[in-house]
Amino acid sequence: MKAKFIISVLGTALLSQAVFAGNKDKSDLKYAYDHTIELQAGVSVMPYLYSGDAHKTVTFASGGDIQARYSYFIGKHWGIFASLSSDLASSGGTGYFRSVNYADGDIYKYSPDYYASVLEYCLNSAIVGGVYRFDFGHWSLRPRIGIGVGNLEVSSRGYERFSRSDISAYPEYTRYALNFKEEDFLVPGSSYRRYSNDLAIVGYAGCQIAYTFKRHFFLSAEIALKAVCAPNITMTKQVTKAVSAYNPENWAEAVYTYNKKDSYCYDWSNYTETKASLPWAMCSVQIGIGWNIGWNRNDK
Amino acid sequence: MKRIAYLFAAAVMVLSAASCLKDNGSVDSMPGCSSEQYLMTIVNDSNVKTVWYIAEKGKDAANPGALPSEKPVPEESSMICFVLESKSSKDIWVNTNITHPTQSYGPEEKAVFYVFEADVFEGTVWADIISDPSKYEKYSLSVQELVDAGYKLVFKGN
């Protein structure tokens, strides 16, 4: 929320400066340096498809991202860039379970529903692409497009689902796993984190606006969209039903385990597995700082 | 404008740091298990010294596999024994690694307990004692009955 506020304030300030600067200084390509390096950070949103028992619905993971980028401008307008970025977004809490409840037909309750991150996605990507530079006074507008590869990391924490109509029924446990292997052991309630072994293809399009204060220092803001294609990376949703934890073999055991009479446990030797959707896109709003390096073509 | 620049730079740094923060989660610890388990408490509420026998199912050579409740009294060697002074009690623990008589019963069956007043053993033999039902008290307990009784079996005296 604070990040959004900061972005709003700075965005307004930058836009108003753009109007005044445009009126005062019409010189084209004032800071036409050939190299720039920059660091940006911001907020990001990743939509993904959730498949429930009754419906499919689009839900969102939200978080932050950070990006380091180097650009080289071949001429006064055209340039190329290479960037490294990390986008982190999580899904959980009331909003997530509202979507899950709708998709499951509004007949269950979920526990615990307070996890801030049932699912947490981290996309680390390396992107190369092209950039076009419009300079007007201190301001510079830089649309960019690129393509690269990404490494996807998913952290998941499972939850229980109880029937609202039959309160005596044992619950189900749902968890998510990236590239799950049979030998993996997941303790219910624990967090589970896995990297993808295969790389995803990442497409990028963004529009950056920069304001140069001094000859070499500039501030920037950017709206970007990343599309993720990961055909070889599998995400699975695993569901198992609880079984009674009270299964005494004899009289004595029945006595000293009697406190487990109504308890249940999960037997992960028997579960159903379905394919789950991964985020296919990521939208972000970033702000950052950067430096112009090299010589200004307009000084020649 | 320079002030805005500094604020802007600070905001970027804060956001950068926040982006790097992640919750690593934790794996729940698994509780340990003890081989000793509390079973029940036997209580001698009488004014005499008593001998308690817990019978094992199916150890009687004359009638193997039969429930003790189907016969008068099983062989003495097929039972374990506790001696309780008057107005005393004893907690019974089961070592899950060692066979206990109550482990011979199914979860839905009734375990059988015999309580003798100690003086019935004086000047006589086992066969004579068991032939006279007035010389002992016999209890057949289901798991639910024991739990409902607060895990206690109380002998109040003949």
Side-chain angles (χ1 to χ4, degrees):
Chain A
M1 203 64 194
K2 283 184 179 174
K4 288 177 183 174
F5 175 72
I6 292 169
I7 290 167
S8 303
V9 170
L10 290 174
T12 307
L14 287 170
L15 286 172
S16 60
Q17 283 296 318
V19 172
F20 291 123
N23 291 336
K24 285 187 290 187
D25 190 348
K26 298 287 187 186
S27 60
D28 190 35
L29 299 175
K30 187 174 180 181
Y31 295 102
Y33 290 90
D34 52 353
H35 303 273
T36 65
I37 56 170
E38 57 200 284
L39 180 67
Q40 293 186 151
V43 293
S44 62
V45 175
M46 295 185 192
Y48 64 96
L49 193 66
Y50 180 84
S51 299
D53 293 350
H55 309 284
K56 288 183 177 180
T57 186
V58 175
T59 188
F60 298 91
S62 59
D65 62 352
I66 185 169
Q67 175 178 225
R69 182 164 54 202
Y70 163 77
S71 301
Y72 172 68
F73 287 90
I74 301 160
K76 289 184 176 181
H77 293 288
W78 287 100
I80 54 175
F81 71 89
S83 71
L84 294 173
S85 61
S86 182
D87 303 281
L88 180 70
S90 63
S91 240
T94 309
Y96 174 77
F97 284 104
R98 193 180 298 126
S99 298
V100 171
N101 183 47
Y102 164 74
D104 285 348
D106 194 21
I107 54 174
Y108 298 101
K109 61 180 179 178
Y110 302 87
S111 177
D113 59 3
Y114 50 80
Y115 283 153
S117 57
V118 171
L119 281 165
E120 193 174 274
Y121 302 101
C122 183
L123 175 67
N124 301 305
S125 52
I127 292 169
V128 294
V131 53
Y132 188 83
R133 177 168 59 184
F134 298 101
D135 281 355
F136 40 95
H138 289 262
W139 291 90
S140 180
L141 187 67
R142 298 165 184 174
R144 297 171 185 267
I145 190 165
I147 191 166
V149 292
N151 168 272
L152 195 63
E153 178 188 351
V154 174
S155 178
S156 69
R157 193 186 287 269
Y159 58 87
E160 290 180 305
R161 187 177 77 169
F162 296 85
S163 169
R164 279 191 228 155
S165 57
D166 184 5
I167 57 172
S168 63
Y170 288 130
E172 291 178 337
Y173 193 87
T174 301
R175 69 187 186 191
Y176 291 86
L178 187 72
N179 295 343
F180 185 75
K181 294 176 182 174
E182 285 298 325
E183 60 268 26
D184 289 345
F185 176 71
L186 306 187
V187 178
S190 67
S191 176
Y192 173 74
R193 175 167 293 169
R194 282 292 295 266
Y195 289 93
S196 61
N197 296 319
D198 297 302
L199 293 175
I201 298 169
V202 181
Y204 160 84
C207 189
Q208 181 190 37
I209 186 165
Y211 182 86
T212 302
F213 283 86
K214 299 286 185 180
R215 292 179 65 83
H216 295 282
F217 174 65
F218 66 86
L219 301 179
S220 62
E222 180 175 338
I223 297 174
L225 175 70
K226 282 179 185 165
V228 183
C229 177
N232 297 323
I233 301 174
T234 57
M235 176 83 158
T236 54
K237 175 185 179 183
Q238 297 163 352
V239 179
T240 187
K241 290 188 175 179
V243 294
S244 173
Y246 183 68
N247 296 299
E249 292 183 355
N250 56 62
W251 193 91
E253 190 179 335
V255 171
Y256 60 68
T257 61
Y258 189 81
N259 60 344
K260 293 183 179 176
K261 196 169 191 310
D262 298 320
S263 63
Y264 55 82
C265 60
Y266 292 103
D267 176 15
W268 283 105
S269 62
N270 185 20
Y271 62 87
T272 58
E273 187 174 61
T274 52
K275 191 175 179 183
S277 172
L278 284 166
W280 69 83
M282 191 219 66
C283 308
S284 69
V285 177
Q286 300 178 338
I287 54 175
I289 52 178
W291 291 266
N292 296 310
I293 302 170
W295 49 271
N296 187 338
R297 290 185 175 88
N298 287 328
D299 290 342
K300 285 202 301 183
Chain B
M1 203 62 194
K2 189 180 283 184
R3 185 173 295 172
I4 290 178
Y6 290 141
L7 283 171
F8 198 80
V12 169
M13 292 306 172
V14 169
L15 283 171
S16 302
S19 299
C20 298
L21 290 176
K22 293 178 185 178
D23 175 18
N24 286 317
S26 61
V27 174
D28 294 348
S29 60
M30 301 296 286
C33 286
S34 167
S35 62
E36 287 285 324
Q37 298 285 354
Y38 170 71
L39 184 68
M40 59 189 294
T41 301
I42 52 177
V43 180
N44 178 13
D45 198 31
S46 72
N47 294 317
V48 296
K49 184 179 180 180
T50 53
V51 180
W52 296 62
Y53 282 94
I54 301 177
E56 184 171 356
K57 174 186 171 184
K59 275 290 184 75
D60 184 9
N63 196 4
L67 284 169
S69 56
E70 296 166 354
K71 307 180 281 86
V73 179
E75 296 296 325
E76 186 180 12
S77 60
S78 70
M79 300 189 284
I80 63 169
C81 168
F82 301 97
V83 177
L84 266 69
E85 298 294 335
S86 64
K87 302 293 182 186
S88 67
S89 65
K90 179 175 180 60
D91 292 340
I92 307 295
W93 290 78
V94 173
N95 187 321
T96 54
N97 298 324
I98 301 170
T99 303
H100 187 272
T102 52
Q103 290 176 314
S104 64
Y105 300 88
E108 304 300 327
E109 293 176 338
K110 292 193 172 190
V112 178
F113 302 81
Y114 298 95
V115 185
F116 302 83
E117 292 185 0
D119 57 8
V120 303
F121 292 97
E122 293 175 3
T124 186
V125 294
W126 179 252
D128 292 339
I129 299 168
I130 63 172
S131 64
D132 183 358
S134 66
K135 291 185 176 177
Y136 60 86
E137 192 77 36
K138 178 177 157 186
Y139 299 94
S140 297
L141 279 179
S142 69
V143 171
Q144 192 63 55
E145 287 169 339
L146 178 65
V147 172
D148 291 345
Y151 292 84
K152 286 181 180 176
L153 178 56
V154 181
F155 176 70
K156 293 182 179 298
N158 288 324

